[in-house]
Amino acid sequence: MKFLIVEDEIRIREGIRRLLPKLDAENEIAAEAENGEQGLALIQRVQPDVIITDVRMPVMDGLSMLEEAYREGCAAKAIVLSAYSEFEYARSALRLGVKEYLLKPINLTDFSEAIQRVKQEIERDRKNSPEKIGGLDHMIRNILSGDIKTEDEVLDYLKDRFGIEKTSPIALLVTYFEEWTEKKRADFLRKIKMILSERPGVLYCIQQDEKQREIRLLLYNYKEGDNMKRWIQGHFLRENGKLRGAAMGWTEVEDIRLLRENYEAVEQYLEWTIPMGDDVIISYPEILNIQTELCVYPLDIEEQMKAAVCSGDEEKTIKSLKRFQRYFQDQKVYSPQNIKECYVRFFWSMIHFLKEAGSMSSEDVDQRELLDRITRAKTRQGLEEAVAKLLSERKSSDEEISNLNVRRAVAMIHEFYRTGITLDEIAARLGITPEYLGTQFHQEMGINFSAYIRKFRIEKAKKLLLGTDMKLYEVAEQAGYTDAKYFSRVFKAETGMLPAEYRKTHK
């Protein structure tokens, strides 16, 4: 059995710690705490079989700790210790279902007998229902996953142990986080518990699922007319309560046998946060009544984006991206699948454009990972971050060049490529011979000077062909060629196509 010891007197705590293994070698001390607040956090983490707790402790007393733990679905047995024999403490403990109440100083025989009775009770429970025994968290987790069927035996156990009738109203709030971090998790749990403290009569169970990036809140023991959804929404939809990068879904059932079915539906419809926004809690089955319109792909914004990237204007690039994102946030409601299809088309179009324009290679970005982020996104933030990530992977400069002369030469090529700058001119500016610079350039770049500048000009021409409507002679001039026919011959030698063919094929 796993024990949690919650006692502020270190001498007593250490005594219990030494005594338990002597009573039974299989007794395991899972954790210790010196007040109820610490104990409550440990109960949620270590899920002990038995809690041994003092009554009077600083910060939070033992009975308050147990009351909160049982309210959250804890199924551990409790042994309460107290130096006070007042009837009120015993009555409070009995009200919580505590059957073992010992007075300090602890009598070894009484303590040993209490441990034995608790052990027998646990073994009896496990024998009678081995597959179900545990806290409400364990029960609900298995019901939602389908590992436990809501048959009569399970329904009886839920009723007897937690007071959940087969036809009790039950609400489920599912919150999905695009990014699962310890801070987001802790902040959300803190807020949930603050909200729940307003209605102490409402019982609940909280589940954390890091793999699914979900926190699930089950609410029960409330009246049908309490309008739990409005209460929860009232907290989360205020400006200071909104969750960024999170999708929230809600469902209520009047029969716990429908819980798993509704949970699966809520998960399926969480992505409706994309068109509806993060100031809405997606409610099932109400979401089934939503009417949508067809979303037409914004080709003009894509062309605007390409032109901005081509010109190297970062401000225009950012504005175009924001315009694309806002396009799906007008007064119309589009299906999340329709929006994702537009994002995927935009993603592939920009990947192709950036590669053709020489601003990205296959090694620069994990295309599959970014595409997965788009397809599994359930919030606007998830979609927007995937595309922003793609654009952030653009090459901003040549790979790091260790040779100073070559690095300066490349910088001059990038600045003066339109003017027909030569190796001799650059060497003269650097104060070295053309032969020496040419040798260093080839060793550092793996390509000779003339081939590099030709390749650089053709990459610039590609961007202009794809990102603008310039005439071919204008593209030639911008790329550093005064003769458009010569430019066309060089372009075909590099790409296998004439400039007009390239534009028609790739644009």
Side-chain angles (χ1 to χ4, degrees):
M1 292 191 300
K2 286 198 301 184
F3 287 82
L4 170 64
I5 306 170
V6 188
E7 169 63 69
D8 61 322
E9 294 185 50
I10 188 169
R11 181 178 57 83
I12 297 175
R13 194 166 68 243
E14 288 179 347
I16 295 172
R17 184 205 310 147
R18 289 194 298 267
L19 180 58
L20 283 170
K22 293 180 181 179
L23 295 176
D24 189 330
E26 293 184 358
N27 287 342
E28 173 193 347
I29 312 301
E32 299 177 31
E34 60 184 25
N35 60 60
E37 185 174 85
Q38 293 177 2
L40 186 61
L42 287 169
I43 290 169
Q44 296 165 347
R45 195 165 80 223
V46 305
Q47 296 190 358
D49 298 307
V50 182
I51 302 168
I52 300 176
T53 180
D54 190 9
V55 171
R56 288 278 185 96
M57 291 181 293
V59 185
M60 177 186 281
D61 65 68
L63 295 181
S64 297
M65 176 195 71
L66 289 175
E67 184 172 13
E68 183 71 13
Y70 289 145
R71 186 179 172 218
E72 293 180 12
C74 170
K77 307 297 181 183
I79 297 175
V80 172
L81 314 176
S82 177
Y84 306 90
S85 57
E86 291 93 332
F87 175 70
E88 193 57 41
Y89 286 111
R91 188 169 66 177
S92 298
L94 290 170
R95 181 176 56 82
L96 292 173
V98 176
K99 297 179 181 178
E100 302 299 336
Y101 185 90
L102 304 178
L103 295 178
K104 296 180 181 178
I106 302 171
N107 179 283
L108 179 58
T109 301
D110 291 343
F111 183 77
S112 177
E113 290 176 353
I115 295 292
Q116 190 60 32
R117 284 193 296 270
V118 165
K119 181 179 180 180
Q120 289 172 352
E121 187 176 351
I122 291 173
E123 289 175 346
R124 185 170 58 252
D125 288 344
R126 288 176 176 169
K127 183 178 179 180
N128 291 338
S129 49
E131 78 288 354
K132 317 190 291 287
I133 199 68
L136 185 59
D137 173 87
H138 173 80
M139 292 290 298
I140 297 301
R141 192 179 299 273
N142 286 336
I143 288 173
L144 295 181
S145 67
D147 292 337
I148 288 181
K149 305 298 182 184
T150 47
E151 298 171 344
D152 290 343
E153 188 181 8
V154 173
L155 296 173
D156 290 342
Y157 181 78
L158 287 169
K159 177 183 177 181
D160 295 340
R161 180 65 184 84
F162 305 107
I164 299 178
E165 300 275 358
K166 180 175 69 174
T167 56
S168 296
I170 296 174
L172 182 66
L173 176 70
V174 181
T175 305
Y176 169 88
F177 296 87
E178 291 285 6
E179 182 184 7
W180 181 276
T181 65
E182 178 61 26
K183 184 178 186 307
K184 284 191 174 183
R185 183 197 67 80
D187 288 348
F188 182 77
L189 290 176
R190 194 179 303 113
K191 183 173 182 62
I192 279 289
K193 291 186 177 182
M194 179 194 72
I195 295 171
L196 294 169
S197 68
E198 295 180 0
R199 297 196 180 185
V202 175
L203 302 181
Y204 64 91
C205 169
I206 298 176
Q207 293 180 355
Q208 303 176 55
D209 192 328
E210 184 173 359
K211 184 178 179 181
Q212 296 289 109
R213 302 185 193 175
E214 288 181 356
I215 293 181
R216 300 182 281 266
L217 170 67
L218 185 88
L219 299 169
Y220 64 104
N221 196 46
Y222 62 89
K223 297 176 182 177
E224 290 188 34
D226 283 352
N227 203 331
M228 304 302 289
K229 181 186 172 186
R230 180 178 296 178
W231 171 52
I232 292 289
Q233 282 182 326
H235 286 277
F236 279 109
L237 302 190
R238 291 196 299 257
E239 191 59 38
N240 65 346
K242 290 180 184 177
L243 294 175
R244 305 301 176 188
M248 303 183 75
W250 175 273
T251 189
E252 286 187 74
V253 297
E254 294 183 357
D255 188 330
I256 196 169
R257 291 173 294 185
L258 300 175
L259 189 61
R260 180 173 181 240
E261 177 186 331
N262 279 38
Y263 164 65
E264 291 176 341
V266 167
E267 278 202 316
Q268 177 186 346
Y269 286 97
L270 278 176
E271 64 178 13
W272 280 83
T273 301
I274 293 170
M276 305 296 286
D278 57 11
D279 55 352
V280 172
I281 295 178
I282 305 303
S283 183
Y284 176 84
E286 289 79 2
I287 190 65
L288 298 176
N289 300 321
I290 198 76
Q291 298 294 315
T292 62
E293 298 187 44
L294 180 64
C295 180
V296 180
Y297 181 75
L299 188 59
D300 60 322
I301 301 178
E302 178 192 306
E303 294 300 323
Q304 184 186 74
M305 171 69 82
K306 289 178 178 178
V309 171
C310 174
S311 65
D313 191 324
E314 197 63 25
E315 185 177 346
K316 284 186 178 178
T317 299
I318 293 171
K319 283 183 178 178
S320 298
L321 178 59
K322 288 184 177 179
R323 185 183 168 206
F324 177 80
Q325 294 165 348
R326 287 196 301 270
Y327 177 80
F328 306 99
Q329 301 172 19
D330 57 17
Q331 299 302 312
K332 299 176 182 177
V333 177
Y334 308 117
S335 77
Q337 193 59 40
N338 202 177
I339 295 173
K340 286 184 178 183
E341 287 169 358
C342 289
Y343 266 85
V344 169
R345 178 175 172 180
F346 183 79
F347 171 85
W348 284 121
S349 179
M350 290 307 300
I351 280 275
H352 181 73
F353 171 75
L354 293 169
K355 285 184 177 179
E356 285 298 323
S359 296
M360 179 177 288
S361 67
S362 298
E363 294 75 29
D364 290 326
V365 60
D366 188 336
Q367 298 176 38
R368 181 179 296 277
E369 191 273 333
L370 286 181
L371 188 60
D372 285 346
R373 286 177 65 171
I374 292 174
T375 55
R376 70 170 179 256
K378 291 182 173 62
T379 67
R380 291 174 181 174
Q381 181 175 321
L383 289 177
E384 292 167 2
E385 287 180 351
V387 176
K389 170 76 171 169
L390 168 65
L391 295 178
S392 72
E393 298 294 336
R394 288 172 293 158
K395 292 180 181 176
S396 58
S397 63
D398 285 274
E399 295 177 3
E400 189 65 32
I401 301 170
S402 59
N403 186 293
L404 179 59
N405 286 330
V406 176
R407 188 158 66 243
R408 293 174 67 188
V410 167
M412 279 188 258
I413 290 172
H414 291 185
E415 184 175 359
F416 301 110
Y417 69 95
R418 294 180 189 173
T419 64
I421 193 167
T422 65
L423 178 66
D424 289 353
E425 290 172 329
I426 294 176
R429 293 194 185 194
L430 296 176
I432 56 178
T433 66
E435 294 77 16
Y436 181 62
L437 176 59
T439 300
Q440 286 190 320
F441 195 97
H442 191 275
Q443 289 176 344
E444 181 74 26
M445 305 299 292
I447 189 173
N448 64 36
F449 178 87
S450 59
Y452 179 86
I453 196 169
R454 181 172 65 250
K455 183 178 177 62
F456 184 77
R457 285 171 171 163
I458 294 302
E459 294 301 333
K460 289 293 182 182
K462 285 181 180 179
K463 289 184 178 181
L464 295 169
L465 289 168
L466 297 178
T468 74
D469 293 321
M470 286 183 177
K471 308 228 178 257
L472 295 184
Y473 75 87
E474 294 175 319
V475 172
E477 289 176 356
Q478 289 292 316
Y481 293 93
T482 55
D483 186 335
K485 291 184 178 179
Y486 176 68
F487 161 68
S488 293
R489 288 200 301 273
V490 174
F491 191 92
K492 185 172 184 179
E494 284 288 322
T495 66
M497 299 182 196
L498 291 169
E501 292 177 303
Y502 181 87
R503 172 178 272 172
K504 185 178 181 180
T505 300
H506 295 288
K507 191 168 182 180

